[in-house]
Amino acid sequence: MNHGDEFVSEADRALEETYEEPKSLAEYVDEVFETPRIASHASKYLLEAIEAAGTRTVVEEGEEKERYRFFDDPHNDGEHAVLGNTEVLNAFVDDLRSIAAGRGKDEKIVWFDGPTATGKSELKRCLINGLREYSKTPEGRRYTVEWNVATADDTRGLSYGEESPVDEDQWYESPVQAHPFSVFPAEVREGLLAELNADNDDHIDLQVDERLDPFSREAYEYLEKQYRRRGASDLFSTVTDDAHLRVKNYVVDVGQGIGVLHSEDEGQPKERLVGTWMRGMLQELDSRGRKNPQAFSYDGVLSQGNGLLTVVEDAAQHADLLQKLLNVPDEGTVKLDKGIGMDIDTQLVIISNPDLEAKLNQHAEKNGMDPLKALKRRLDKHEFTYLTNRSLETELIRRELTNETAVWDGDDDAVEEKVAEPLTIEIKGSDGTVRERELAPHTVEAASLYSVVTRLDDEDLPAGLDLVDKALLFDRGYLQDGDERLEKDDFEFADDGGANGEHGIPVTYTRDTIADLLHERPDRHHPELNVEDVIMPRDVLNAMAERLTDAPVFSPGERTEFENRVVPVKNHVFQRQEDDVIDAMMRDRRVDEETVAEYVDHVYAWATDETLENERGERVDPDPLKMKVFETEHLGRFSPESYDGNEPSPAVRQFRTEKVITALNRHAWERRDEDFSVGDGDGSDSSTAETPSHNVDLTEIPVIKSVLESHDWDDVARIFEDFDPRQWDDPPSGTETAAVKAETIQNMVEMFDYSEASAELTSRHVMGQVSYKWD
């Protein structure tokens, strides 16, 4: 099989899995009793689609939350994922649950409000994508009806287009996705639903209250009239015989179960809501002085969204329409014309920027005389805000600059690596040549952290924290202060959540600033280095702060406030670069875990004053010299003067007891359900006990983790006695500084994905600051 045939066959298989053969009404009812969810009403179906994708745990504003994966756009590899705003989305799902169950809010119109670039447009696309893909799955099948009146004698035809049907084309689908149950008379439908819901284990009952849509009603009444003339018995079963009526599944999409009213859409309110009469069709059809629903376009937003979802985007552009929607949620009815009504089952969602709220409040001072009061009462507001998580903002900026769409869903360490990653972008010049520009490690992170810092409320900062600390706390849920881990609950913040995310630098400003830098040559004073194509964190931070003055989107007060917040961000990013340089310098001088485990065993034996047995079955007696050497050389916490010979001073004793032993005991307690023990644990009189390194991941204990992973300049000076950071830019050949530099640059490339150019610039920047205090 050639490639063309292979892909055509694959497409055939995909469609076979998506579509079913049409079925009779009776067959459909039987299937509903087997799988009730295929008959779900609009809000229930939307809820089921969201819940079907599952959940995951995220940290936002420093707190763990359960997030519905549906909003990560999983069917499209995250292309239109809604980043952040999990609490807002969860509240939306809670509202859907109440609406679907008929427990209230039935009359509400769901309103998503918020500044530009907060993810509202992504939400619309995510809803469309998710519902479309869910409707292709067996559990998400969606059904409507189609009619054929040509099989009845003396037919005058049935259509809502201009072409006359022939053969199989004589079947016409309900133009508004009518629910198959709407074919049944009201009293029969009530009994059917009562029996279904009695046997249904779901916590939400099925609700189908709609009458047949006008187009289908025209077909039904025509067929009924034809067969009544002939004296047919069993009139309903004759009219709905599969020669005239079929139930078919359809794939949800815009225009078919989803209606979207765009900002640029025009027309009279009724035209935008339900559609228009087609004069040519009215003249063609023999309607005997009445308007025939066959001659209606059904292209309005409610017609397209009937059966599932209606979205009005940029709602301020359609403010005149909102009042026309007042009674749709609770009455579920609109009119094509004075005498022709259409029942609607749809979940109404409107999306707007803050300008809609300004329009709604224009008469607020009139109090009880406010003409928009009824509309405002019907709106159920969910407010999107700017992201306040550094990692999410980093992910968003990378999306804006590249084609990356994958949602970051890893552990803390994996996400932290992604945050720090460099980014290489190809730029095409005016001469047609293409060159690569590198955003050095921590550059995108710097831009995202600065953006987040401008969005945080500084009025509820706990003592000892600055806005960068708050941003990191919101991002991770904790702060690591040396050996101590401080959780968000350890700090007091405003009970109402403060004004976090309500204003600040939007991602569009950050994206445009970086895009401008990508097309500019940096002003570097290193002609001997090939660094023109490297953009450093300080380049982006300086540009973002300096260009605030020329950005009309910011007020004078905001410009001043944002400019003042850049310094702590620069300091934090420098610390990140400094850590990279030190880690690269000390890469081959790290203490191995076996050495650390030996130290822990000796400390535990020292503290318990007993002989222990390590994992190799060897007896371990506390060795004062080994502990002293580790604490002075590897740990770097104490000098030889802290010991009387090999006997520890009170400070050393306190460290061993509080930092090492306490950490081990806490680790054991937290994992007490995982069969973890630090002794025999059986109450026997054995002469030796297990060492605590048994079954312990030492890297999970803060003080041990710091020994294994962290170093400082004192460690550098102790190990490289002849190293001089003042020689870093151009170290003399044959010196220890030259050797350390070569090794460090290479390690930065291998460990942290620096290029040689960005490693050179970063290490020069760090050494330039360190050299001032080296002596």
Side-chain angles (χ1 to χ4, degrees):
M1 180 183 293
N2 59 40
H3 289 300
D5 291 337
E6 179 182 348
F7 284 109
V8 168
S9 297
E10 185 177 343
D12 285 337
R13 287 192 296 272
L15 291 179
E16 286 173 6
E17 295 171 359
T18 299
Y19 293 101
E20 302 173 356
E21 288 295 320
K23 64 194 69 178
S24 70
L25 183 61
E27 289 172 331
Y28 170 75
V29 172
D30 288 339
E31 286 193 19
V32 173
F33 273 93
E34 291 292 327
T35 313
R37 67 189 310 159
I38 65 173
S40 294
H41 51 285
S43 53
K44 186 174 189 292
Y45 183 87
L46 178 53
L47 177 66
E48 289 166 346
I50 293 171
E51 292 179 335
T55 62
R56 65 185 178 97
T57 303
V58 298
V59 175
E60 290 180 23
E61 295 202 346
E63 298 177 0
E64 283 194 353
K65 307 176 190 294
E66 285 300 307
R67 176 182 176 85
Y68 291 97
R69 290 183 180 273
F70 179 91
F71 299 110
D72 295 336
D73 198 16
H75 297 292
N76 296 277
D77 299 322
E79 181 180 359
H80 295 297
V82 182
L83 301 185
N85 281 294
T86 293
E87 196 167 320
V88 180
L89 296 171
N90 286 350
F92 167 53
V93 177
D94 289 342
D95 282 354
L96 281 179
R97 193 170 288 110
S98 296
I99 294 169
R103 292 195 297 264
K105 296 202 172 184
D106 304 59
E107 81 286 358
K108 294 290 188 178
I109 299 173
V110 177
W111 174 22
F112 285 99
D113 182 52
T116 57
T118 52
K120 301 187 304 298
S121 295
E122 297 304 310
L123 173 63
K124 179 198 72 175
R125 297 186 182 98
C126 184
L127 288 169
I128 295 171
N129 289 345
L131 292 170
R132 180 197 305 119
E133 297 306 317
Y134 180 65
S135 71
K136 294 178 182 178
T137 65
E139 62 272 17
R141 290 282 192 261
R142 206 68 177 143
Y143 295 90
T144 187
V145 294
E146 58 181 358
W147 298 87
N148 189 337
V149 300
T151 49
D153 293 337
D154 191 29
T155 181
R156 57 185 168 83
L158 174 71
S159 70
Y160 50 93
E162 295 183 0
E163 295 183 4
S164 298
V166 292
D167 301 326
E168 182 66 17
D169 292 338
Q170 302 282 9
W171 287 98
Y172 284 91
E173 182 180 334
S174 163
V176 291
Q177 305 78 235
H179 195 293
F181 280 5
S182 64
V183 178
F184 288 102
E187 62 276 10
V188 176
R189 183 169 65 245
E190 289 175 8
L192 171 59
L193 289 169
E195 187 172 344
L196 270 170
N197 290 325
D199 297 335
N200 188 8
D201 295 332
D202 198 343
H203 61 286
I204 297 177
D205 288 345
L206 294 174
Q207 301 173 26
V208 182
D209 302 322
E210 301 77 44
R211 298 167 298 170
L212 269 179
D213 65 278
F215 179 87
S216 299
R217 193 157 60 242
E218 184 78 12
Y220 183 96
E221 290 175 354
Y222 171 77
L223 291 167
E224 184 183 51
K225 182 179 180 181
Q226 292 294 316
Y227 287 111
R228 191 170 59 246
R229 283 177 179 173
R230 304 172 194 174
S233 59
D234 302 324
L235 192 58
F236 180 81
S237 59
T238 304
V239 170
T240 59
D241 182 86
D242 56 11
H244 299 306
L245 172 69
R246 299 192 306 201
V247 176
K248 61 171 292 187
N249 78 300
Y250 64 95
V251 173
V252 169
D253 209 337
V254 176
Q256 195 158 29
I258 300 177
V260 179
L261 190 61
H262 303 279
S263 57
E264 65 272 17
D265 289 340
E266 299 177 346
Q268 295 298 316
K270 185 166 291 186
E271 181 180 351
R272 284 175 282 161
L273 282 176
V274 288
T276 57
W277 292 104
M278 299 179 287
R279 295 188 180 277
M281 287 295 296
L282 281 172
Q283 294 171 358
E284 180 179 331
L285 294 170
D286 179 14
S287 301
R288 297 180 179 83
R290 65 182 178 86
K291 286 186 175 178
N292 191 323
Q294 299 169 25
F296 199 76
S297 67
Y298 298 98
D299 59 1
V301 65
L302 290 175
S303 300
Q304 294 181 357
N306 185 46
L308 190 47
L309 177 68
T310 296
V311 179
V312 179
E313 70 169 10
D314 199 6
Q317 302 297 320
H318 299 286
D320 63 322
L321 204 65
L322 297 182
Q323 288 184 289
K324 303 289 185 182
L325 292 171
L326 277 180
N327 297 324
V328 170
D330 52 346
E331 295 182 4
T333 300
V334 293
K335 285 191 173 183
L336 311 186
D337 214 324
K338 293 179 181 179
I340 305 176
M342 179 168 69
D343 290 349
I344 293 291
D345 175 31
T346 188
Q347 180 56 55
L348 270 170
V349 173
I350 69 171
I351 299 173
S352 76
N353 293 327
D355 50 355
L356 175 61
E357 188 160 21
K359 286 188 177 183
L360 293 175
N361 290 329
Q362 60 183 311
H363 305 294
E365 70 281 356
K366 296 182 179 180
N367 298 320
M369 303 299 292
D370 184 353
L372 298 177
K373 188 175 182 179
L375 173 59
K376 288 190 286 187
R377 184 179 63 81
R378 295 293 183 96
L379 295 174
D380 189 15
K381 185 177 180 182
H382 298 274
E383 189 166 6
F384 270 32
T385 58
Y386 291 122
L387 298 177
T388 54
N389 275 50
R390 175 198 54 154
S391 56
L392 286 174
E393 185 70 12
T394 304
E395 183 179 351
L396 180 58
I397 293 172
R398 293 181 71 101
R399 283 170 169 259
E400 292 285 331
L401 294 172
T402 69
N403 292 322
E404 295 180 12
T405 60
V407 173
W408 295 1
D409 185 16
D411 58 27
D412 290 347
D413 291 338
V415 171
E416 196 65 25
E417 287 182 11
K418 293 288 291 182
V419 166
E421 275 184 2
L423 185 61
T424 301
I425 298 178
E426 290 186 346
I427 300 297
K428 187 174 183 179
S430 56
D431 58 355
T433 59
V434 177
R435 74 177 193 276
E436 289 187 343
R437 300 298 306 274
E438 178 193 359
L439 295 170
H442 305 296
T443 300
V444 180
E445 175 191 1
S448 65
L449 180 60
Y450 181 41
S451 299
V452 167
V453 162
T454 66
R455 301 167 185 170
L456 297 179
D457 189 344
D458 61 352
E459 295 186 1
D460 65 344
L461 278 176
L465 296 190
D466 62 14
L467 285 171
V468 169
D469 294 326
K470 185 175 182 178
L472 297 177
L473 191 61
F474 275 22
D475 193 31
R476 305 167 181 161
Y478 66 89
L479 291 175
Q480 194 73 40
D481 183 13
D483 303 325
E484 187 177 7
R485 175 166 162 152
L486 304 173
E487 305 290 341
K488 189 191 176 187
D489 291 343
D490 296 329
F491 303 97
E492 290 188 10
F493 291 97
D495 292 336
D496 61 357
N500 301 303
E502 293 181 4
H503 74 295
I505 291 178
V507 69
T508 47
Y509 174 83
T510 306
R511 176 202 63 202
D512 294 345
T513 300
I514 295 176
D516 289 342
L517 289 176
L518 289 170
H519 289 87
E520 299 172 3
R521 290 284 188 174
D523 183 16
R524 304 279 189 228
H525 299 291
H526 309 297
E528 77 283 6
L529 301 175
N530 181 27
V531 294
E532 292 83 0
D533 287 328
V534 178
I535 298 174
M536 298 292 290
R538 59 186 179 276
D539 296 330
V540 172
L541 291 175
N542 288 337
M544 289 179 69
E546 291 167 359
R547 301 181 190 195
L548 289 170
T549 305
D550 300 325
V553 69
F554 303 119
S555 68
E558 287 177 322
R559 293 180 189 123
T560 301
E561 180 184 355
F562 299 163
E563 286 170 356
N564 293 336
R565 296 189 179 190
V566 75
V567 173
V569 176
K570 287 184 175 180
N571 293 338
H572 173 78
V573 173
F574 174 79
Q575 181 64 57
R576 297 272 284 168
Q577 294 174 310
E578 187 178 36
D579 290 344
D580 285 354
V581 172
I582 293 177
D583 286 349
M585 294 178 74
M586 302 292 289
R587 180 182 187 181
D588 297 328
R589 279 81 180 176
R590 293 174 179 269
V591 184
D592 62 83
E593 191 167 344
E594 184 177 346
T595 302
V596 177
E598 182 184 35
Y599 167 72
V600 170
D601 290 344
H602 281 274
V603 170
Y604 209 87
W606 167 82
T608 56
D609 195 24
E610 62 178 314
T611 298
L612 303 179
E613 183 178 289
N614 66 19
E615 57 187 356
R616 294 183 299 277
E618 301 168 343
R619 296 171 64 88
V620 177
D621 294 310
D623 189 325
L625 178 59
K626 285 185 176 181
M627 288 184 282
K628 174 183 176 180
V629 169
F630 186 91
E631 290 161 351
T632 55
E633 295 187 5
H634 297 312
L635 203 56
R637 283 181 174 264
F638 304 102
S639 65
E641 288 72 26
S642 299
Y643 303 82
D644 182 7
N646 292 331
E647 290 300 311
S649 66
V652 177
R653 287 176 174 274
Q654 183 180 10
F655 168 78
R656 292 177 184 175
T657 301
E658 295 183 1
K659 297 297 185 182
V660 180
I661 300 301
T662 300
L664 280 166
N665 290 339
R666 183 186 301 117
H667 186 88
W669 174 252
E670 290 173 350
R671 285 151 183 77
R672 61 194 181 280
D673 293 332
E674 299 178 19
D675 196 28
F676 175 84
S677 62
V678 293
D680 286 347
D682 59 3
S684 63
D685 287 331
S686 60
S687 59
T688 60
E690 279 190 342
T691 60
S693 60
H694 281 188
N695 304 319
V696 179
D697 182 359
L698 295 172
T699 61
E700 292 186 15
I701 303 173
V703 67
I704 305 303
K705 184 180 178 76
S706 68
V707 173
L708 290 171
E709 300 180 359
S710 301
H711 296 93
D712 57 24
W713 292 112
D714 290 336
D715 296 324
V716 173
R718 186 175 68 251
I719 292 174
F720 304 112
E721 296 181 357
D722 295 327
F723 171 73
D724 187 351
R726 290 165 293 199
Q727 298 178 341
W728 187 270
D729 287 4
D730 189 18
S733 177
T735 63
E736 186 172 40
T737 302
V740 170
K741 178 177 181 179
E743 185 178 349
T744 300
I745 296 295
Q746 182 62 31
N747 287 340
M748 290 176 72
V749 172
E750 294 177 0
M751 295 170 64
F752 306 118
D753 291 331
Y754 282 84
S755 67
E756 289 191 11
S758 61
E760 178 71 41
L761 287 175
T762 300
S763 61
R764 284 194 178 200
H765 178 52
V766 169
M767 293 303 173
Q769 300 299 314
V770 171
S771 61
Y772 292 120
K773 54 185 179 182
W774 188 250
D775 289 340

